[in-house]
Amino acid sequence: MGYELHAVIAGDELLCGWARGVPEAQVAPLRQGLSLLPITDELFDSVTDGSPTGALGFRRLPGGFGESLARWSAEGPVAYVEAEYFGGVGEQRAAVWVDGTLALGPLDEPTRKRFSRPVSPISQALRRLGARRTLGEDEFEAVGLDSHRNNEDWLSSTAPY
């Protein structure tokens, strides 16, 4: 079974406020005061500025969208994350914008401090957004990113704006 995610993650109020002005945007609630905006084909087409995709090494970051994320981050930290796994093999990428600038990443490898367990790129980004893990789980699980396996599943739990 696979896992695929291409999304923006930020605080509830920030992300829901932006989504109100974009008919193609659908926001899904996460835990710990965060929300997720899946990058659907429709949203991708509505926010791209026509410049090439693949900025910062991401596969589905719409052209020019990094500038939008930087602007939003003036109101609070904003992350863009991608994950693609099938049969336990795959990759993650994450970046976080804070106060109008790229503050973390892009990350594509887990970090590991001596004698500690590895921390995935998405968990590192979630930490910058204020997510906290509990015993036996990482930030990815703590905010509920393990509750759906792809963007389509997330859409079933979204709120239209």
Side-chain angles (χ1 to χ4, degrees):
M1 190 169 210
Y3 183 94
E4 185 175 356
L5 178 67
H6 305 95
V8 176
I9 301 174
D12 292 330
E13 290 183 24
L14 174 61
L15 206 51
C16 291
W18 178 83
R20 284 187 185 92
V22 181
E24 299 81 6
Q26 298 180 55
V27 177
L30 295 173
R31 294 190 286 262
Q32 299 191 21
L34 299 174
S35 287
L36 174 138
L37 173 68
I39 302 295
T40 62
D41 290 340
E42 296 78 19
L43 179 61
F44 183 98
D45 291 343
S46 76
V47 299
T48 190
D49 68 2
S51 60
T53 59
L56 304 174
F58 290 104
R59 295 177 191 227
R60 289 277 301 166
L61 182 64
F65 198 52
E67 288 81 19
S68 296
L69 297 174
R71 279 193 310 277
W72 299 354
S73 75
E75 297 178 40
V78 177
Y80 179 77
V81 302
E82 292 184 347
E84 296 180 11
Y85 287 92
F86 187 81
V89 177
E91 61 187 15
Q92 289 186 14
R93 291 190 69 78
V96 177
W97 287 260
V98 177
D99 295 326
T101 62
L102 185 62
L104 179 69
L107 304 172
D108 61 4
E109 295 288 331
T111 61
R112 184 181 185 118
K113 294 181 181 172
R114 190 173 182 181
F115 303 119
S116 70
R117 66 184 203 162
V119 180
S120 74
I122 293 177
S123 284
Q124 291 176 65
L126 292 168
R127 281 183 184 178
R128 287 298 294 262
L129 298 180
R132 297 291 170 245
R133 66 183 183 93
T134 60
L135 187 61
E137 67 181 1
D138 61 10
E139 292 81 2
F140 189 97
E141 296 162 317
V143 302
L145 284 177
D146 59 339
S147 61
H148 296 295
R149 305 218 41 95
N150 56 50
N151 278 4
E152 292 77 29
D153 290 346
W154 281 106
L155 294 176
S156 67
S157 66
T158 63
Y161 292 93

